[in-house]
């Protein structure tokens, strides 16, 4: 059987050591109402495109699935983060819950509004669609507007707010693997995931962009020639209306550097491109060999002269190394971001321990007094105690049922063994009784004379 081909250029092999540190996510829908919402279903698919490549893109939920089913499978699959979209049956509000497995915490956001990727593409002049190569690496995460330090340490509310934002920032930072500047290639980063917080309203906006890098040092026509070396099927610029080659380079008739006019100055950066310049081989300097210096080695056995030995001076050797060394040339490139969606606007609601079941650490709209918090903690401890007792009782019942089942099985095996032993004894008794009846019949005919039947076969007298 032929061996299956493995892609090595586009599918980079990840080492087991590196794979352990890579966070993986799962984007799901929870609840009967959310499963029947077609728009929410498309939002989940678009959000999975953001979390690629370390996410379950083709995951399909069923109406019978519960949150516990997904939490149980997070351990074997190595999933570290859960994104849960839910919709309220009463109000119809959509919520996004971000949970860290397996012990939490869970952050609940209310989705104020959202736009799908297909809706954003309708309003763009040049929409961008992602390809397989664009999602081979996770996007670049950009956080803006979050304050993790309190301005006034004496103010308890500001300290609490700073601690809450610190947990939110830590949660967002860990959804993607960290970048290693010494190992990562800049050209491999194709997308940007920006999370911005408005300080006045407190709303968090999520945007997903595609990074497009363009040359700005060359004109529009030269850019076509520059790109034609990689794609020979593209048509070259039309030179019919050009009077001079300078008009092609400078574009006098249509405006110089038309590509720069479409790009803002803030987006232009200088990039050092390292290229290996190939030059012609330097002429070799021959040794001058005089007649007196010629020896026997310079003449073949046939009498023909050998070619003079070519050598390079130290200066030529140095020039040769410099000619083959890589040359860094500064180039101006413009970076353009094209939004590809989806677009979400979130509002923080609450933060709790565990995965959607635990003590509420922070609530945005509900505030409790110290006495209420103590009463809730007491009620929670009582609830956990009853739950632990019920769990132990269930384990004891299961052990009791298992023991009774094993005893019943043992009794059944003993009866089966006794029945087999009884059947074996019955067969032995039957065989012994059969042998005794045969010997008795033989003893009955021992006293009968041998010629008892002689009269029966005697000849009839005539």
């Amino acid at each position: 059987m032929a061996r299956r081909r493995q892609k090595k250029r586009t599918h980079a092999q990840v080492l087991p050591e590196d794979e352990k540190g890579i966070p993986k996510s799962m984007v799901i829908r929870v609840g009967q109402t959310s499963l029947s919402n077609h728009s929410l279903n498309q939002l989940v698919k678009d959000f999975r495109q953001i979390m690629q490549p370390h996410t379950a893109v083709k995951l399909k939920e069923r109406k019978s699935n519960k949150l516990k089913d997904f939490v149980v499978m997070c351990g074997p699959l190595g999933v570290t983060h859960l994104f849960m979209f839910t919709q309220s049956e009463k109000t119809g509000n959509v919520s996004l819950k971000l949970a860290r497995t397996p012990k939490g915490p869970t952050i609940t956001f209310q989705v104020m509004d959202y736009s799908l990727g297909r809706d954003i593409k309708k309003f763009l002049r040049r929409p961008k669609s992602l390809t397989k190569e664009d999602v081979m690496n996770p996007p670049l995460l950009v956080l803006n507007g979050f304050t993790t330090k309190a301005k006034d340490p004496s103010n308890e509310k500001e300290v609490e707010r700073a601690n809450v934002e610190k947990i939110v920032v830590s949660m967002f930072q860990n959804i993607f693997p960290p970048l290693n500047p010494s190992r990562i290639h800049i050209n491999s980063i194709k997308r940007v995931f920006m999370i911005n917080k408005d300080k006045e309203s407190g709303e968090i906006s999520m945007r997903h962009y595609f990074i497009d890098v363009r040359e700005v040092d060359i004109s529009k026509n030269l850019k076509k020639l520059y790109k034609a070396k990689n794609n020979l099927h593209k048509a070259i610029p039309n030179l019919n209306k050009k009077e001079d080659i300078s008009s092609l380079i400078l574009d006098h008739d249509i405006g110089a550097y038309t590509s720069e006019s479409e790009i803002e100055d803030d987006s232009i950066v200088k990039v050092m491109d390292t290229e290996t310049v190939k030059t012609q081989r330097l002429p070799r300097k021959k040794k001058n060999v005089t007649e007196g210096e010629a020896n026997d080695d310079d003449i073949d056995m046939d009498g023909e002269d050998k070619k003079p030995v070519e050598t390079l001076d130290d200066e030529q050797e140095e020039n040769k190394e410099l000619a083959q060394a890589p040359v860094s040339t500064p180039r101006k490139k413009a970076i353009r971001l094209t939004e590809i969606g989806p677009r979400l606007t979130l509002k923080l609601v609450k933060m709790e321990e565990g995965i959607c079941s635990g003590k509420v650490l922070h609530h945005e709209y509900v505030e409790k007094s110290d006495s209420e918090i103590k009463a809730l903690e007491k009620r929670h401890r009582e609830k956990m105690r009853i739950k632990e007792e019920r769990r132990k009782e269930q384990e004891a019942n299961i052990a009791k049922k298992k023991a009774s089942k094993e005893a019943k099985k043992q009794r059944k095996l003993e009866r089966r063994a006794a029945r087999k032993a009884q059947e074996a004894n019955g067969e032995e008794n039957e065989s012994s009784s059969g042998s005794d009846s045969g010997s008795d019949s033989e003893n009955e005919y021992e006293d009968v004379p041998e010629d008892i039947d002689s009269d029966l076969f005697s000849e009839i007298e005539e």
Side-chain angles (χ1 to χ4, degrees), residues 187 213-218 222-223 225-227 229-230 260 267-277 327-335:
N187 296 331
V213 181
R214 297 184 179 182
E215 295 279 351
V216 296
D217 277 344
I218 57 179
L222 287 181
K223 190 184 294 183
L225 292 175
Y226 182 73
K227 291 182 178 180
K229 67 177 184 179
N230 297 327
E260 285 189 358
S267 62
I268 299 175
V269 294
K270 284 187 177 181
V271 180
M272 300 296 292
D273 285 349
T274 304
E275 296 182 356
T276 302
V277 180
V327 179
S328 298
T329 57
R331 290 185 179 180
K332 288 184 179 181
K333 293 186 179 182
I335 299 175

Side-chain angles (χ1 to χ4, degrees), residues 301-316:
M301 295 179 66
D302 298 337
E304 297 180 356
D305 294 342
K306 286 186 178 180
K307 294 182 180 180
V309 180
E310 298 178 356
T311 60
L312 293 178
D313 296 340
D314 296 338
E315 184 179 356
Q316 290 180 342

Side-chain angles (χ1 to χ4, degrees), residues 57-267:
V57 182
K58 297 183 180 181
L59 180 64
K60 293 183 180 180
E61 305 93 339
R62 296 179 181 178
K63 292 184 178 180
S64 59
N65 291 135
K66 305 296 180 182
L67 178 59
K68 186 178 180 181
D69 301 335
F70 297 102
V71 174
V72 169
M73 292 305 299
C74 287
L77 297 178
V79 177
T80 58
H81 291 81
L82 273 176
F83 292 87
M84 296 164 283
F85 285 90
T86 61
Q87 187 175 13
S88 176
E89 297 181 359
K90 296 180 180 180
T91 60
N93 295 332
V94 179
S95 301
L96 171 61
K97 294 185 178 182
L98 174 58
R100 179 68 183 265
T101 59
K103 297 182 180 180
T106 303
I107 304 176
T108 304
F109 299 97
Q110 181 184 355
V111 181
M112 307 298 292
D113 52 40
Y114 63 90
S115 300
L116 302 177
R118 63 186 180 186
D119 298 333
I120 294 174
K121 291 179 181 179
K122 291 179 182 179
F123 295 95
L124 295 177
R125 291 180 57 188
R126 298 174 182 176
K128 174 65 179 178
S129 298
L130 294 177
T131 60
K132 292 183 178 180
E133 295 182 356
D134 297 335
V135 296
M136 290 299 296
N137 293 296
L140 180 66
L141 180 64
V142 178
L143 298 175
N144 184 35
F146 293 93
T147 56
T148 57
K149 292 183 179 180
K151 296 180 180 180
D152 188 6
S154 61
N155 192 348
E156 295 181 359
K157 290 186 177 180
E158 290 188 4
V159 173
E160 183 183 357
R161 175 66 61 182
N163 293 333
V164 168
E165 291 198 5
K166 190 181 296 184
I167 296 174
V168 173
V169 169
S170 176
M171 187 72 77
F172 282 132
Q173 285 179 343
N174 293 324
I175 60 177
F176 296 115
L179 297 178
N180 190 353
S182 61
R183 296 181 58 184
I184 194 169
H185 298 282
I186 299 178
N187 296 331
S188 63
I189 302 175
K190 300 289 185 180
R191 298 174 294 143
V192 173
F193 184 40
M194 188 180 69
I195 302 176
N196 182 37
K197 183 181 179 181
D198 190 358
K199 294 183 179 180
E200 296 180 358
S201 61
E203 295 180 352
I204 299 174
S205 59
M206 292 183 174
R207 302 290 186 270
H208 188 206
Y209 296 97
F210 178 79
I211 302 175
D212 189 11
V213 181
R214 297 184 179 182
E215 295 279 351
V216 296
D217 277 344
I218 57 179
S219 61
K220 190 174 182 179
N221 289 331
L222 287 181
K223 190 184 294 183
K224 292 181 179 179
L225 292 175
Y226 182 73
K227 291 182 178 180
K229 67 177 184 179
N230 297 327
N231 192 354
L232 300 179
H233 298 287
K234 285 188 175 182
I236 61 175
N238 189 5
L239 306 178
N240 186 21
K241 297 182 181 181
K242 302 292 181 181
E243 296 180 357
D244 191 6
I245 190 64
S246 61
S247 62
L248 173 66
I249 298 175
L250 301 177
D251 291 336
H252 295 299
D253 48 355
I254 60 175
Y257 298 94
T258 55
S259 60
E260 285 189 358
S261 61
E262 301 175 358
I263 300 170
E264 298 179 358
D265 295 337
D266 297 338
S267 62

